[in-house]
Amino acid sequence: MTTTTPPRPELRDFYENPAVPVASGTPRTLRQARLLAAALGAPTPAGRTRTIVDIGCGDGTAAATTAPFVPGHRIIGVDWSQDALKRARTRVPYTLRGELNCLPLRDGSADAVLFSEVIEHLVDPDAALDEIRRVLRPGGHLMLSTPNLAAWYNRALLLAGVQPVFSEVSLRAIHGRPGREVVGHLRLYTARALREYVTAAGFEVVRLKGAPFHGVPRPLRPLDRLACSRAPLASILLLHARRT
C-alpha cells in the first residue's frame, strides 16, 4: 500500500509513480475484512452508522473488498498520493487526501481504522500510530497488516545468506533477494516486535493472525497457507487491536 506519511522529495516521486504497486493480495484483504466484521458486529436498525477509515487506501481495493462484510457502515479512504486516490474514487464512495502526521479527521471520529501494508513504508511509524490513536474513539478498532520479517521462507533465506523477502536496500532496483518489484519497504516487523510496538503505542492487542502472500511461487503456496496457522511463521501479519 502507498504511504500517507509526508515523504522526503525522492520518496514523494517514488510513491507518485503509477508503476509502484498500491494494492495487496486478496487472501490478506479477505481475512482482514472478516476480522473487522467480527469486531464490529452486525448493525442494528436502531444502531448508528460506524465510520471505518482506510488509511493509506491505495487504489481502494482493500476498502472495496471490506465493504460487503460491513454493510450499513461508512468507509472513508485516505491517502497522500493523488494518483492512488484517483483510482480509489472508482471503488470507494468517500475519499480524502491527507498526510499521516495530520489526518483530516476529528478526534475520536473513527470507529475502526484499516492500516493495510502501510506501516512498513513509513519513516516515522511512531507519529502514525499516535495520529491513528487520536482519530479512533476509545475502544475503537485498529486492523493492521504488514509483511512478516520472520516468515518461514525468510528464516531459510537468512541461513543461506540471502536478503529476506520484503526487505529492500534501494528504491531503484532489487539487490540480493528474490522478487522483481521495488515497493518501498523501510521497516519490517516480526510477530513479537509488532505486538510489543502496538501495545507501547497505547493499544490493546486482541489477536494476531497470519495470512498468505500472493507472491509465493505456486508450488510453495500450500506450505505458505499451512504456515498461516502460526502467525510468527506466516507471510503476512494481521493484527487486531483496540484503542485504550
Side-chain angles (χ1 to χ4, degrees):
M1 303 297 289
T2 55
T3 178
T4 53
T5 291
R8 292 189 293 268
E10 62 271 22
L11 287 179
R12 286 183 181 273
D13 294 339
F14 178 81
Y15 287 116
E16 282 290 6
N17 182 354
V20 174
V22 292
S24 299
T26 300
R28 188 275 300 159
T29 305
L30 287 172
R31 290 181 185 222
Q32 189 176 57
R34 294 187 184 105
L35 280 175
L36 178 60
L40 292 178
T44 60
R48 66 179 180 87
T49 299
R50 294 188 175 100
T51 298
I52 303 163
V53 183
D54 185 0
I55 297 176
C57 66
D59 65 0
T61 298
T65 302
T66 300
F69 290 86
V70 287
H73 301 313
R74 177 175 61 171
I75 300 180
I76 301 173
V78 179
D79 208 288
W80 170 84
S81 168
Q82 291 278 31
D83 179 76
L85 283 176
K86 186 184 300 183
R87 285 180 271 175
R89 291 186 185 109
T90 66
R91 298 182 174 95
V92 186
Y94 307 99
T95 59
L96 295 171
R97 186 170 191 261
E99 297 182 345
L100 226 169
N101 65 341
C102 187
L103 291 170
L105 298 163
R106 298 188 308 274
D107 294 3
S109 59
D111 296 281
V113 163
L114 294 176
F115 203 42
S116 307
E117 262 86 326
V118 176
I119 196 169
E120 65 271 14
H121 297 271
L122 301 181
V123 175
D124 187 359
D126 302 322
L129 287 187
D130 287 346
E131 188 68 353
I132 288 173
R133 192 172 186 278
R134 178 187 68 79
V135 303
L136 274 174
R137 64 169 176 79
H141 304 278
L142 169 63
M143 300 290 172
L144 185 156
S145 66
T146 191
N148 182 10
L149 175 61
W152 61 275
Y153 40 80
N154 279 345
R155 299 180 185 218
L157 289 173
L158 276 171
L159 285 174
V162 178
Q163 187 82 7
V165 176
F166 308 124
S167 65
E168 296 183 329
V169 299
S170 171
L171 293 179
R172 298 177 180 177
I174 297 298
H175 299 290
R177 73 159 173 84
R180 298 178 181 178
E181 291 182 327
V182 178
V183 294
H185 290 173
L186 305 180
R187 300 179 182 275
L188 289 176
Y189 300 80
T190 64
R192 177 177 176 177
L194 185 64
R195 182 186 291 273
E196 291 182 4
Y197 180 60
V198 170
T199 300
F203 295 86
E204 177 188 0
V205 175
V206 178
R207 60 180 58 87
L208 183 62
K209 302 185 71 174
F213 175 47
H214 61 277
V216 169
R218 189 175 298 276
L220 296 177
R221 289 179 185 175
L223 184 57
D224 193 42
R225 289 192 293 270
L226 181 64
C228 292
S229 62
R230 291 198 61 201
L233 296 175
S235 288
I236 305 296
L237 300 172
L238 299 179
L239 181 138
H240 171 205
R242 301 191 71 170
R243 181 198 186 280
T244 55

